[in-house]
């Protein structure tokens, strides 16, 4: 196993801090290129993961060095709470100075099509994470498959799942034919207790990369993630409605190196939100409403022409 690090992190093989001052990449950037005990783990970028072997003082010093609050990152659940984590759900107590909030999971979502069809997925109880409704997700993939010229499955390619949460959209993409998915989710609890267990349960952990970072930061540093593979073939954008400015977000995406001339973008947005007819070099090929939720899909010009030509084909009875 080799660990490529841009900042002081723990090397899993040695249990010691290491550093690389010759690069200037983000905090806690880790790349695993060979498996531990013959098992490949996902790439986790900008993430802090407990159980690294560091002492409490080492962890506090490391976080302070980067201007972070150790109390925010190092709060741990009680032993009693850890024993509750079992079966189909898990529980974790998140502590602060004023109150304790219990976060739990349940299995309400499922994969709709492909290799993992009907497999149930974990999701957090409450409204802190709002997964895409299944009717919206099903419609999005039907449109993408048709626009790509393969109604039975997705064209092979790389998918970027922004605001991934449970990973439901990205997992659906792998199940239906995508070869690789990158998940961007800023909540470490959701990553550890929901996203990674869902990827393990569906068997897609080996073709997944997880980026525990704000979407805005990920987009700002897009070029370092594109690398030799070029733009993503697909992108899903499912943010919490009240937490983003869609005009600013879509402008940032349209100028990003993550998007190419043959990319498809799926955007879920709320009622009374104006979405442009274009996103960079892409055009809007579909815009549908599901109650208070809207779904816009952008794609290359050839996909729009293909859908229009399909509508003109007469039905022979």
């Amino acid at each position: 196993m080799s660990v490529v690090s841009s900042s002081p992190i723990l090397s899993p093989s040695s249990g010691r801090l290491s550093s690389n001052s010759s690069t200037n990449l983000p905090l806690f950037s880790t790349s695993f290129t060979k498996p531990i005990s013959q098992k490949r783990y996902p790439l986790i970028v900008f993430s802090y993961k407990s159980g690294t072997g560091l002492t409490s003082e080492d962890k506090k010093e490391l976080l302070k060095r980067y201007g972070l609050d150790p109390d925010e990152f190092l709060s741990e659940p009680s032993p009693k709470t850890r024993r509750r984590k079992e079966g189909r759900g898990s529980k974790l107590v998140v502590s602060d100075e004023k109150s304790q909030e219990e976060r739990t999971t349940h299995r309400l979502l499922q994969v709709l099509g492909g290799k993992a069809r009907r497999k149930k997925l974990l999701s957090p109880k409450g409204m802190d994470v709002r997964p895409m409704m299944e009717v919206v997700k099903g419609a999005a993939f039907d449109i993408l498959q048709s626009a790509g010229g393969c109604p039975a499955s997705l064209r092979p390619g790389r998918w970027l799942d922004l605001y991934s949460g449970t990973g439901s959209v990205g997992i659906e993409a792998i199940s239906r034919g995508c070869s690789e998915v990158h998940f961007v989710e800023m909540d470490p609890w959701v990553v550890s207790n929901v996203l990674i267990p869902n990827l393990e349960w569906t068997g897609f952990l080996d073709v997944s990369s997880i980026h525990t970072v704000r979407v805005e930061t990920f987009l700002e540093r897009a070029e370092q993630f594109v690398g030799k593979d070029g733009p993503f073939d697909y992108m899903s954008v499912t943010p919490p409605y009240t937490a983003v400015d869609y005009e600013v977000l879509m402008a940032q995406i349209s100028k990003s190196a993550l998007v190419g001339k043959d990319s498809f973008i799926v955007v879920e947005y709320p009622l009374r939100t104006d979405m442009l007819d274009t996103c960079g070099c892409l055009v809007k090929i579909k815009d549908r409403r599901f109650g208070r939720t809207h779904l816009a899909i952008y794609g290359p010009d050839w996909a729009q022409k293909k859908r229009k030509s399909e509508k003109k084909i007469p039905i022979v009875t």
Side-chain angles (χ1 to χ4, degrees), residues 162-305:
L162 300 179
Y163 306 95
S164 60
T166 65
S168 170
V169 177
I171 288 172
E172 190 77 34
I174 306 174
S175 182
R176 293 184 184 231
C178 266
S179 50
E180 177 185 348
V181 174
H182 287 245
F183 298 88
V184 181
E185 170 54 49
M186 65 175 289
D187 189 334
W189 185 90
V190 172
V191 170
S192 298
N193 294 273
V194 181
L195 178 54
I196 290 178
N198 281 341
L199 290 170
E200 290 176 332
W201 169 240
T202 52
F204 297 148
L205 192 62
D206 288 346
V207 291
S208 301
S209 296
I210 299 171
H211 307 271
T212 308
V213 62
R214 291 177 61 85
V215 167
E216 294 81 1
T217 304
F218 186 88
L219 293 174
E220 288 170 0
R221 301 172 180 178
E223 292 185 2
Q224 82 177 57
F225 298 110
V226 172
K228 62 181 178 61
D229 295 316
F232 283 88
D233 300 282
Y234 303 94
M235 181 187 299
S236 52
V237 185
T238 57
Y241 292 158
T242 59
V244 300
D245 183 323
Y246 275 84
E247 183 178 356
V248 174
L249 175 62
M250 295 309 295
Q252 193 175 11
I253 289 174
S254 68
K255 299 173 184 176
S256 169
L258 302 169
V259 180
K261 61 182 180 64
D262 292 320
S263 300
F264 287 89
I265 304 177
V266 178
V267 185
E268 187 182 38
Y269 66 97
L271 195 63
R272 294 186 293 276
T273 301
D274 294 326
M275 298 293 290
L276 297 177
D277 291 332
T278 61
C279 181
C281 59
L282 306 177
V283 297
K284 188 190 293 182
I285 61 176
K286 198 70 176 179
D287 199 334
R288 292 184 59 182
R289 177 179 175 180
F290 302 84
R292 292 177 295 175
T293 297
H294 281 249
L295 180 71
I297 296 182
Y298 296 88
D301 188 57
W302 57 260
Q304 185 184 49
K305 292 178 179 178

Side-chain angles (χ1 to χ4, degrees), residues 32-94:
F32 297 95
T33 57
K34 288 187 179 181
I36 302 174
S37 302
Q38 304 303 315
K39 181 177 181 181
R40 178 173 176 260
Y41 287 82
L43 169 68
I44 302 181
V45 182
F46 314 126
S47 69
Y48 174 78
K49 190 173 182 180
S50 61
T52 58
L54 297 176
T55 66
S56 296
E57 291 303 316
D58 286 336
K59 294 176 184 178
K60 289 180 180 179
E61 182 63 27
L62 181 59
L63 291 168
K64 287 179 180 177
R65 191 180 306 172
Y66 287 92
L68 301 175
D69 181 6
D71 292 334
E72 179 182 353
F73 285 82
L74 297 180
S75 59
E76 294 287 345
S78 65
K80 183 177 180 180
T81 301
R82 282 194 291 268
R83 287 195 295 270
R84 287 198 211 111
K85 185 178 178 182
E86 61 182 7
R88 298 173 64 183
S90 61
K91 297 184 178 181
L92 177 66
V93 174
V94 180

Side-chain angles (χ1 to χ4, degrees), residues 86-106:
E86 61 182 7
R88 298 173 64 183
S90 61
K91 297 184 178 181
L92 177 66
V93 174
V94 180
S95 301
D96 56 32
E97 296 178 355
K98 296 181 180 180
S99 63
Q100 288 188 337
E101 179 185 359
E102 188 178 74
R103 302 180 73 178
T104 61
T105 62
H106 53 180

